[in-house]
Amino acid sequence: MPGFVLAQDQIDSIRGSTVTFKNFSLRLVAAAALLGLSGVSQAALTVYTTEASFNAAVMTPGTDTFDDLGTGNYLGTAPLSRTAGSYGYNVTSDIFTAGSGGDPWLSTNAATDVIVFDNFGAGVKAAGGLFFGSNFNGQFLAGQSVKVVATDASGSSSQTLVNTTTSTFLGFVSTGAMISLTVESVGTNVDVWPAVNNIVLASAVPEPETYALMLAGLGLVGFLARRRRA
């Protein structure tokens, strides 16, 4: 049989198609690597029971000490617009300020009220603070329990703190945006009021696989850019 011979313009066309296919494939790989970040960053909550471990898992934390609110003040039920470092948020309840030794904290006007922290500013993926029980006058009450619930896009994590002190810390870190944090007394004990001090908000430290996917995607994008210039 006679040999099958391609004209030069056909060969050039095939080569061009091959290069185009390769570039398209590389673009798909780069896009997959970058889009994979969204899968890694699906919301999930991690609980931290010490401030040191919480701080190690976050970036640029900011703290609201409530020192500017004073003690013994009734602040009403309207949402309070507050800041913790560079992060804004709201706190809502029937708020009463209490404290000890010149250190103000938030409590409630009724023992059954729930303190709600929400409307967090952009980038807030972590929230924590000091949570404990107080008496009728808003003073610390030893040996009490409070419930703290954190909510993000993945759902909620409920934690009950027992035998609390004014140094009892609890923090939550999410791989997504934090939606709310609530604090309340446990059970039907009408003689214990929830109290909160030193609310901390922060962004989360990206997980190692997030960095790996990001670098892979950016590397492929840079490679494609160099090939295009060449």
Side-chain angles (χ1 to χ4, degrees):
M1 291 179 61
F4 182 73
V5 180
L6 292 175
Q8 186 61 44
D9 59 343
Q10 292 175 309
I11 295 173
D12 292 340
S13 176
I14 292 172
R15 286 174 176 171
S17 298
T18 303
V19 171
T20 300
F21 177 76
K22 287 181 178 178
N23 287 340
F24 178 72
S25 299
L26 286 171
R27 290 192 185 97
L28 282 179
V29 173
L34 291 173
L35 289 174
L37 295 175
S38 61
V40 172
S41 60
Q42 288 177 352
L45 286 165
T46 303
V47 180
Y48 295 88
T49 56
T50 69
E51 193 164 4
S53 61
F54 174 84
N55 286 334
V58 302
M59 298 189 301
T60 60
T63 303
D64 189 356
T65 64
F66 310 119
D67 288 351
D68 60 306
L69 297 177
T71 60
N73 297 316
Y74 174 63
L75 303 179
T77 59
L80 297 178
S81 179
R82 303 287 299 173
T83 59
S86 61
Y87 307 103
Y89 74 96
N90 284 351
V91 55
T92 307
S93 186
D94 202 5
I95 296 293
F96 178 83
T97 64
S100 178
D103 181 19
W105 54 65
L106 296 184
S107 188
T108 58
N109 197 44
T112 55
D113 288 340
V114 178
I115 304 175
V116 180
F117 301 90
D118 60 8
N119 197 31
F120 298 120
V124 175
K125 295 185 177 181
L130 305 177
F131 308 102
F132 48 94
S134 61
N135 61 18
F136 176 80
N137 295 316
Q139 301 300 301
F140 167 66
L141 191 61
Q144 304 306 314
S145 300
V146 295
K147 182 172 72 172
V148 184
V149 180
T151 302
D152 67 2
S154 70
S156 298
S157 175
S158 178
Q159 303 292 320
T160 298
L161 303 172
V162 299
N163 295 320
T164 56
T165 72
T166 55
S167 300
T168 299
F169 179 88
L170 187 68
F172 301 84
V173 177
S174 173
T175 52
M178 189 70 70
I179 296 175
S180 67
L181 190 72
T182 65
V183 188
E184 61 186 294
S185 295
V186 173
T188 59
N189 190 343
V190 295
D191 295 321
V192 179
W193 282 252
V196 180
N197 200 4
N198 293 2
I199 281 291
V200 184
L201 302 179
S203 56
V205 175
E207 297 178 352
E209 55 265 34
T210 301
Y211 281 125
L213 280 172
M214 183 181 296
L215 290 173
L218 292 176
L220 283 171
V221 169
F223 173 74
L224 288 173
R226 287 193 301 271
R227 285 180 59 90
R228 184 174 298 172
R229 288 196 299 269

